[in-house]
Amino acid sequence: MEPVVEVRDLKKIYRGSEKPAIRNLNLAVGRGEMIGIIGPSGAGKSTLLRCINHLVIPTAGRIFIEGEEITGASPAKVRKLRRRLGMVFQHHNLVSRLTVMQNVMHGRLGYMNTLDGVLGRYTETDKQWALSILEQTGLGDFLYHRAGELSGGQRQRVGIVRALMQQPSVLLCDEPIASLDPASAQVVMELIRDVCRRQRSRVAGPPIACIVNLHQVDAALKYADRIIGMFEGEIVYDGPTAELTGPVIERIYGKPMAELMISAERPEVKV
Ligand code: ADP
């Protein structure tokens, strides 16, 4: 089957930098896959996600979204392809003074003309749909709360629902639990996994692939089906989570696994 995302011979060297952030990376992501990307800080995880959705322009290589090339595409085509890529960031990027409902409806903007978007003229169908996803994700009591009043975990869930309103084929999650306490992190990771498997989310359509950058190795082991281990801009492991052994993890991070587990449980501790 055609991959949802295909990355061919990707290379990225940032301006003013001599060292490539991504060296020569190849990757194919299938429908409904839940992929955890792990690796030390600076390994290139975030750059990879940002190249996929064209926030960062690659130095070389090609990227295809459901068979359509995003690298070198016109601005109109990039905009169209981006609808299929839901982005979830560490700091959710919600508008604090707007309500949960208003933030979530922003996920529809890519499908609207500018005037309707500016005036917030969303269709009744879209509004009903937003309501149903918010209820299914346990946010039904917060519809008219301002995003700024919510906890970090709740905000992250709103960010995920907003991304779902785009009807994406892929969710790209960049460190979605890095600033959350362990209990909220668990809720957010469960939601991402459920979305990937189409549980709790009645969004019609094919399964959504999720690519999640994770600083926390144990979260990757717990929730991902497939792990991609990155080191200095290269993939050094790509395979099923079940086959990721302690020695491989130690090779990716250059430190004993026990230290990494401690850092995951206590995110404030840097190792
Ligand atoms: P990770 O997400 O694994 O921590 P990044 O993709 O953020 O890694 O970074 C990979 C490398 O690229 C690092 O050496 C980092 O310093 C560099 N880098 C990231 N963003 C920029 C940027 N905007 N300009 C210059 N260098 C950058």
Side-chain angles (χ1 to χ4, degrees), residues 36-58:
I37 304 188
I38 59 171
S41 182
K45 305 181 293 297
S46 180
T47 302
L48 172 60
L49 287 199
R50 283 160 196 268
C51 283
I52 292 175
N53 103 333
H54 218 60
L55 281 171
V56 164
I57 311 299

Side-chain angles (χ1 to χ4, degrees), residues 12-17 19-22 38-48 50 56 174-175 213 230 233:
K12 175 65 191 178
I13 305 177
Y14 286 102
R15 197 180 304 161
S17 167
K19 213 174 105 204
I22 303 275
I38 59 171
S41 182
K45 305 181 293 297
S46 180
T47 302
L48 172 60
R50 283 160 196 268
V56 164
D174 198 1
E175 301 273 9
N213 277 354
M230 289 189 68

Side-chain angles (χ1 to χ4, degrees), residues 206-253:
I208 299 174
C210 294
I211 310 178
V212 190
N213 277 354
L214 286 164
H215 183 68
Q216 297 87 342
V217 179
D218 51 358
L221 294 176
K222 189 166 170 192
Y223 296 102
D225 305 320
R226 173 179 167 195
I227 301 275
I228 291 178
M230 289 189 68
F231 184 76
E232 295 198 347
E234 287 179 312
I235 294 180
V236 292
Y237 177 84
D238 181 357
T241 307
E243 288 172 21
L244 183 72
T245 58
V248 176
I249 296 178
E250 292 187 14
R251 211 172 61 225
I252 297 169
Y253 285 90

Side-chain angles (χ1 to χ4, degrees), residues 130-170:
L131 275 174
S132 96
I133 310 185
L134 284 165
E135 269 160 22
Q136 289 160 49
T137 48
L139 293 162
D141 292 339
F142 302 97
L143 304 181
Y144 302 107
H145 287 229
R146 288 180 194 210
E149 296 165 10
L150 304 181
S151 72
Q154 288 167 334
R155 274 184 279 201
Q156 196 55 288
R157 277 148 67 201
V158 174
I160 294 168
V161 175
R162 181 184 55 185
L164 288 179
M165 291 297 292
Q166 278 176 241
Q167 291 176 290
S169 312
V170 189

Side-chain angles (χ1 to χ4, degrees), residues 108-109 111-123:
R108 295 305 295 164
L109 292 177
Y111 290 93
M112 299 165 70
N113 67 44
T114 311
L115 186 60
D116 283 348
V118 168
L119 298 177
R121 288 198 292 231
Y122 303 105
T123 67

